[in-house]
Amino acid sequence: MPNKQQLEDFATQVRRDIVRQVHKVNSGHPGGSLGCTEFFTVLYQEIMDRKEGFDMDGKDEDLFFLSNGHISPVFYSVLARSGYFPVEELSTFRLIDSRLQGHPTTHEGLPGIRIASGSLGQGMSVAIGAANTKKLNGDNHLVYTLHGDGELQEGQNWEAIMYAAANKVDNLISTVDLNHQQIDGCTDDVLPMGSLKAKFEAFGWDVLEVKKGNNISAVIDGLNEAKSRTGKGKPVCVLLYTEMGHGVDYMMGSHAWHGVAPNDEQLEKALAQNPETLGDY
Amino acid sequence: MKKYTNTGNKDTRSGFGAGMDELGKTNENVVALCADLTGSLKLGDFQKNHPERFFQIGIAEANMIGIAAGMTIGGKIPFTGTFANFSTGRVYDQIRQSVAYSDKNVKICASHAGLTLGEDGATHQILEDIGLMKMLPGMTVINTCDYNQTKAATLAVAEYKGPVYLRFGRPKVANFTPEDQKFEIGKAVLLNEGNDVTIIATGHLVWEALQAAEELEEKGISAEVINIHTIKPLDEEAILKSIKKTGCVVTAEEHNYLGGLGESVARTLTQNHPAPQEFVATKDTFGESGVPELLMEKYELNAAAIVRASEKVIKRK
C-alpha cells in the first residue's frame, strides 16, 4: 500500500498528465478530470483489489466503470500509471490511430476499459449487470462506478437506481462526482436536482457523503467506509463533494473549464502549480 | 414445385420460448432478462425452470440493455426480451454504445415485430427495426419465419459470440421448416428452384412466398424461393447465384422498404449484377390497428402481392 505522500505525489503527476493531454490536442475535458483526481488515485492505488494484467471478464477482482466518459484524461492517466498500458501512450490522446479515444472505448482494445462511455447515463446499468454476474459466479469482489452529478439528469440512471435497490445489488458502490457544475453552468441553474442524498435514500440506497472529495485522506476514509457497508442488502452511494478544476487555480470551481483546453501560457501556469513527481511521459 | 407442409400454425415467439428453455438446461451461462413481458415473450418456462438466471427488469428497457451488456463481463450470455419496438428504437443509443460499440455478447430478442402485432396499432408495430439494427457495425440481424426456425435460431445465436438482433412475431403462422434443422447464421435457405424470377423473403413473408410460387406455377411462371433468415451478414453469394439465373427479383418483408432486406439486396445487385427488383414491403408508412391478415392485405404484404410483384418484375427484364 502506498503511503499518503506517495498518493499525493501520484495525484500531482496525474494532474500534470491531464492538462498536458488536453493542451496537446486543444480538446478534452480538464475540469471534471482534475476534480476527480483524488478519487481515481485512491480507487486504483489504495481501494480496489486488482489482478495483474487485464482481461475483459475481470473474475476474482474488483471492477470499475466510468459512466461520465468525458473525464477520460484522468482515467487514462491513472490506468497508465497503475500499469495497464505504457505511460508514453498518453501522448496519443485523441489523435488518429490512438487507443486513447476522446471517450473511453473497448473498441481499440485499451487495457483497463470494459465498456464504452460518453453518451451519458449508461454506466450504472452496465455495472449492475457486472455485479449480477459476479454474484452468479460466486465472486465476492465489488463493482465501482463514477457518475457526474449533471449526468443524473439522464433518466436511465433512475431506472438503474430503482433496480439496484429493489434487487439488493449490494456489491455495488456508485460514486457521484458532486461538483455542482455542468456544461451550461451550475446544476442548480440548468436543472436543479434537489437533494441527491434524499433521492438515493428514497430509492433504498445506503448513502454516505464525503465532504472533502479533493482530500486524499478523506477519500480513503470515505471509500473504506463505503466498502464496509457492502454486502448488507443495499447498494451503496458515495456523494463525493469535489471542486471542478481542483489543483489549477484559474480553473477551480467554474464550469468554464468543463471542456476547454489551456493555451501554452495557461499550461505553464498549471504545470508550475503541480510540479513533476513521478516523471512526465 | 417442391411441396411444403404446414404441420400446424404456431407462433414464432413460442419457438423462442422453447429454445430458451432448452438453453437453460444445456448452457449454464445463458441468462434471460425481460422488461415486464414474460408472458408475451414466452419466457415463462425459462423463468420457472431457471429462476436464478431469470432477471425481471421492470418496464425499463434502457436499463435492461445496459444490465445485459454488463452481464457479459464475467462470461454470461444475456438474452433480452421485449417487443421489437422497445428492443430497438427505444434503446438505440444504449445498444449502440454499450452493446455494439463495446462488442458485447448480448442477444436482443424481439417479439411482436411488424404489422402482424395487429390490434395494438402503430405505436407498437415497428417497421423500421431491421434498418436500425443492420446499420450498427458488428450487429448480426436475424428474422425467422416459423416456430421451428425460431427455436433453431435461438439455440444457434447462443453459440455465436457477438451481438445479435433476433426478430420474430406475435401471430400463429404456418410451421413448415424441419424440426431438426441446423440453423446456420448468414446462410440462405433455398426453398424452391425456379428460372423466371427469384423471390427473396424473410420472416412471416417466407410462407407467403411459397404460396405465391404455387400460384405463379399455375400461371406458368417458375419462381425460385429463397428464405433469408439472416439479413446481416447477407448471403450475397446465394442471392447473386439465383438472380444471375432468373434475371429479376422480388424481395418480401414485413418492414419498411427503406432500410430493410430489400435495400440490402438492391445494394448487392447494384454493386455486382444490376437487375430489376420489386419490393413487397411497407412503403414508408406507419401501420394501424386491425386484424393481422387484413392489415397484411391492405399493406400488400401477402402471397397475392408477391404474385403481382413477380409478374411486374418479369416484364421489366
Side-chain angles (χ1 to χ4, degrees), chain A residues 25-278:
Chain A
V25 291
N26 193 28
S27 73
H29 298 79
S33 293
L34 290 165
C36 291
T37 297
E38 281 75 18
F39 171 79
F40 275 89
T41 297
V42 169
L43 188 69
Y44 273 81
Q45 292 296 304
E46 176 86 13
I47 295 292
M48 284 208 302
D49 181 15
R50 300 184 289 113
K51 288 188 301 197
E52 279 294 310
F54 175 77
D55 64 77
M56 183 55 77
D57 277 340
K59 289 180 179 171
D60 303 316
E61 64 177 327
D62 292 341
L63 303 178
F64 170 71
F65 294 95
L66 176 65
S67 191
N68 49 330
H70 57 272
I71 64 167
S72 55
V74 64
F75 196 15
Y76 292 152
S77 169
V78 170
L79 285 176
R81 293 189 181 276
S82 299
Y84 286 92
F85 57 86
V87 175
E88 296 72 41
E89 207 168 334
L90 295 175
S91 67
T92 70
F93 174 64
R94 286 187 172 232
L95 294 176
I96 195 166
D97 294 330
S98 172
R99 299 196 291 181
L100 279 60
Q101 292 289 298
H103 295 81
T105 171
T106 60
H107 200 64
E108 319 298 331
L110 186 68
I113 311 286
R114 290 193 166 85
I115 198 79
S117 60
S119 177
L120 294 172
Q122 301 186 26
M124 194 183 295
S125 302
V126 173
I128 289 168
N132 281 346
T133 289
K134 285 217 175 287
K135 289 197 175 190
L136 285 174
N137 288 342
D139 178 348
N140 290 324
H141 284 80
L142 299 174
V143 178
Y144 293 86
T145 63
L146 180 66
H147 313 265
D149 50 359
E151 185 188 8
L152 294 179
Q153 291 160 2
E154 290 279 7
Q156 184 182 344
N157 288 300
W158 300 97
E159 296 181 1
I161 291 164
M162 189 185 299
Y163 178 94
N167 290 279
K168 300 183 170 52
V169 184
D170 58 3
N171 52 346
L172 173 68
I173 298 175
S174 288
T175 297
V176 178
D177 173 21
L178 206 57
N179 62 20
H180 298 100
Q181 307 291 330
Q182 56 190 109
I183 298 179
D184 275 357
C186 296
T187 51
D188 279 346
D189 293 332
V190 177
L191 180 62
M193 289 174 281
S195 167
L196 288 176
K197 183 169 190 290
K199 283 188 164 68
F200 271 91
E201 284 176 345
F203 276 74
W205 286 54
D206 189 359
V207 182
L208 67 102
E209 294 182 288
V210 177
K211 296 282 190 182
K212 293 181 177 174
N214 294 116
N215 176 295
I216 290 276
S217 300
V219 176
I220 292 172
D221 291 347
L223 289 179
N224 275 324
E225 171 67 18
K227 265 168 94 166
S228 76
R229 297 195 192 180
T230 59
K232 294 182 165 61
K234 288 183 176 186
V236 179
C237 170
V238 178
L239 296 176
L240 185 74
Y241 289 72
T242 70
E243 184 174 38
M244 191 176 249
H246 190 85
V248 176
D249 59 5
Y250 58 85
M251 291 187 185
M252 281 158 76
S254 164
H255 64 87
W257 291 90
H258 171 92
V260 176
N263 62 26
D264 292 350
E265 194 183 327
Q266 290 162 333
L267 172 70
E268 288 314 311
K269 213 171 158 191
L271 293 178
Q273 293 168 18
N274 293 277
E276 194 171 348
T277 53
L278 307 181

